[in-house]
Amino acid sequence: MKHEYIYNHLNAKEFLLVNRSEEWKQLMEAIEQIDANVFLKISKDKVRKGEVLYNQVAINEEFKRLLAATGWSEMKREYFVSGDIPTAKEIVKIKDPETQRKIIEDKGLVAFPTYNQVDFVKDRIAVEVQFGKYFSVAYDLHVKHTFFFLRDEIDVGVEIIPTHAMMRRMDTGVSWFENEVANVIREGRNNPSVPIVIIGIEPDHLIPAPKAEERAKVVRKKADDLIQKAKFAETKSMQIKDALGTLKLKLDSLVSSENLAKDEYQEKGTIKAQTAWLKAKAALDKFAPKVEAVERKYDAVLQKSLELAVERDTAIEAAVLAEEEGRQAALLKERLAAIED
């Protein structure tokens, strides 16, 4: 896979490059070593049932295997909480869970056990590989990383999440880089308070998107409809062009008649010649606007025909690509189904 995007919050990346360059290199190498197209599944998700998707669990396990080999490990911290607000404020900064429990119980209250856990930690760097539901990244940033940072157990956090393109090829509801970074930016420079690097990852070559076969049919129908519309517009423009040619021939004839009648009147100066000239001029004046109107109509129809031709060609290209993606999706389903059987 590749790190398609990197968002640097509170100079976290600079800290890693200067102070933890080896660990940063290990993270980048782990991303690059994973071929996500090896970790596929046929989805049982209600919305994408039967589609070939990336297997989030398997990819997460591969991250765990690669990072564990270079000394990264899970960190878990247990603590106690109370529903009594003054007590909660009193114990929130105490690290020792037993001390927290004792303070709560000495007041006759119930101490509820809980914990925070982060996927990978090494040399005060906390890393979460998050392919979970949409709320998971916000929880990581504002609870997990912040929790360990305020306890002075980490210096920086790293959140690895899929890009939008990869998310579309996973079960529904997965967080994605572009959206989560927008949320962080919207909240302001100092929220969350912990230095964080958010990395958006995706495969070098994406598998077909869900519903690729159905989408290919829709795109092909659109292309076929545009082919027919473009053909109709072209035929119509040709018909108007032919009609316009006939009208222009008649207009040329009327212009010639008017010129001849005018010349004859100027030469003879008779009332009969004047009447003939005025009659020819009136016929020309009446007919010329009709030709101009047809010319305007032809220009409009021709422009529409050219626009439809461009849309048609674009739609045909899109249909070819969509049909190829649909064929790849069908083959991938067959291959994966055979493996699972």
Side-chain angles (χ1 to χ4, degrees), residues 266-333:
Q266 289 175 341
E267 180 182 344
K268 297 180 178 180
T270 63
I271 293 176
K272 182 178 179 181
Q274 183 186 36
T275 302
W277 171 49
L278 292 174
K279 185 178 180 181
K281 186 175 185 301
L284 177 61
D285 290 344
K286 183 179 180 180
F287 190 74
K290 294 181 180 179
V291 178
E292 291 173 359
V294 174
E295 283 182 327
R296 289 194 296 271
K297 183 177 181 181
Y298 172 68
D299 289 341
V301 171
L302 179 62
Q303 180 61 32
K304 183 63 176 177
S305 176
L306 293 173
E307 290 173 358
L308 282 170
V310 172
E311 289 184 42
R312 174 203 62 201
D313 293 344
T314 302
I316 290 173
E317 290 179 7
V320 170
L321 293 174
E323 287 170 339
E324 177 59 28
E325 186 177 34
R327 282 191 290 271
Q328 291 177 3
L331 291 171
L332 193 56
K333 284 182 185 178

Side-chain angles (χ1 to χ4, degrees), residues 120-175:
F120 310 103
V121 174
K122 184 179 181 182
D123 203 6
R124 295 175 63 86
I125 305 168
V127 177
E128 279 286 328
V129 179
Q130 189 54 262
F131 297 134
K133 294 298 183 182
Y134 65 92
F135 53 81
S136 301
V137 172
Y139 184 81
D140 289 347
L141 299 182
H142 296 283
V143 178
K144 285 189 177 183
H145 289 302
T146 301
F147 172 86
F148 289 111
F149 182 71
L150 294 177
R151 285 170 60 97
D152 194 29
E153 294 191 50
I154 65 169
D155 293 316
V156 66
V158 177
E159 193 78 6
I160 300 175
I161 55 178
T163 63
H164 181 269
M166 187 176 186
M167 174 276 295
R168 286 189 62 224
R169 293 156 173 83
M170 292 179 161
D171 287 327
T172 54
V174 175
S175 299

Side-chain angles (χ1 to χ4, degrees), residues 42 333-341:
I42 295 179
K333 284 182 185 178
E334 290 177 10
R335 180 171 66 81
L336 199 57
I339 292 172
E340 292 189 357
D341 289 342

Side-chain angles (χ1 to χ4, degrees), residues 240-292:
I240 296 174
K241 183 180 180 182
D242 291 343
L244 182 61
T246 302
L247 290 173
K248 284 186 173 180
L249 288 175
K250 185 175 180 180
L251 180 65
D252 291 342
S253 176
L254 289 173
V255 170
S256 296
S257 297
E258 192 268 343
N259 287 333
L260 287 172
K262 182 180 179 182
D263 291 342
E264 187 173 353
Y265 168 64
Q266 289 175 341
E267 180 182 344
K268 297 180 178 180
T270 63
I271 293 176
K272 182 178 179 181
Q274 183 186 36
T275 302
W277 171 49
L278 292 174
K279 185 178 180 181
K281 186 175 185 301
L284 177 61
D285 290 344
K286 183 179 180 180
F287 190 74
K290 294 181 180 179
V291 178
E292 291 173 359

Side-chain angles (χ1 to χ4, degrees), residues 5-221:
Y5 305 111
I6 294 178
Y7 179 71
N8 183 19
H9 180 70
L10 296 180
N11 301 316
K13 185 178 177 182
E14 287 81 1
F15 176 86
L16 290 169
L17 290 174
V18 173
N19 300 289
R20 304 288 190 275
S21 58
E22 183 61 29
E23 286 74 17
W24 176 254
K25 181 181 177 183
Q26 290 168 1
L27 291 176
M28 294 298 102
E29 288 178 347
I31 292 170
E32 292 165 3
Q33 287 177 41
I34 296 176
D35 181 1
N37 292 335
V38 172
F39 303 102
L40 303 176
K41 66 178 182 180
I42 295 179
S43 178
K44 296 179 181 178
D45 182 83
K46 184 186 296 184
V47 177
R48 294 175 176 169
K49 188 173 182 180
E51 295 292 328
V52 176
L53 302 177
Y54 290 114
N55 189 330
Q56 295 108 292
V57 174
I59 295 174
N60 220 324
E61 287 299 313
E62 185 65 2
F63 266 110
K64 184 182 292 186
R65 184 186 71 80
L66 290 170
L67 291 177
T70 53
W72 295 80
S73 60
E74 179 188 274
M75 180 165 67
K76 181 177 180 180
R77 293 292 181 265
E78 297 179 345
Y79 58 99
F80 287 89
V81 296
S82 169
D84 181 67
I85 302 304
T87 304
K89 291 180 178 180
E90 179 183 349
I91 67 171
V92 70
K93 292 184 179 180
I94 297 174
K95 291 185 179 182
D96 180 52
E98 287 304 312
T99 301
Q100 292 176 325
R101 183 183 61 78
K102 186 175 187 305
I103 291 173
I104 295 170
E105 292 180 347
D106 283 350
K107 294 184 178 184
L109 303 170
V110 177
F112 298 104
T114 187
Y115 67 91
N116 264 324
Q117 168 268 336
V118 67
D119 288 344
F120 310 103
V121 174
K122 184 179 181 182
D123 203 6
R124 295 175 63 86
I125 305 168
V127 177
E128 279 286 328
V129 179
Q130 189 54 262
F131 297 134
K133 294 298 183 182
Y134 65 92
F135 53 81
S136 301
V137 172
Y139 184 81
D140 289 347
L141 299 182
H142 296 283
V143 178
K144 285 189 177 183
H145 289 302
T146 301
F147 172 86
F148 289 111
F149 182 71
L150 294 177
R151 285 170 60 97
D152 194 29
E153 294 191 50
I154 65 169
D155 293 316
V156 66
V158 177
E159 193 78 6
I160 300 175
I161 55 178
T163 63
H164 181 269
M166 187 176 186
M167 174 276 295
R168 286 189 62 224
R169 293 156 173 83
M170 292 179 161
D171 287 327
T172 54
V174 175
S175 299
W176 41 291
F177 177 89
E178 295 88 338
N179 186 54
E180 296 303 331
V181 166
N183 290 337
V184 172
I185 294 171
R186 191 180 296 116
E187 290 176 12
R189 179 62 178 160
N190 295 320
N191 192 16
S193 58
V194 53
I196 295 273
V197 173
I198 305 176
I199 303 175
I201 62 171
E202 66 179 47
D204 296 315
H205 304 287
L206 292 160
I207 61 172
K211 310 296 181 184
E213 295 164 276
E214 292 87 338
R215 188 171 60 259
K217 294 176 183 177
V218 172
V219 176
R220 170 48 65 185
K221 184 179 185 307

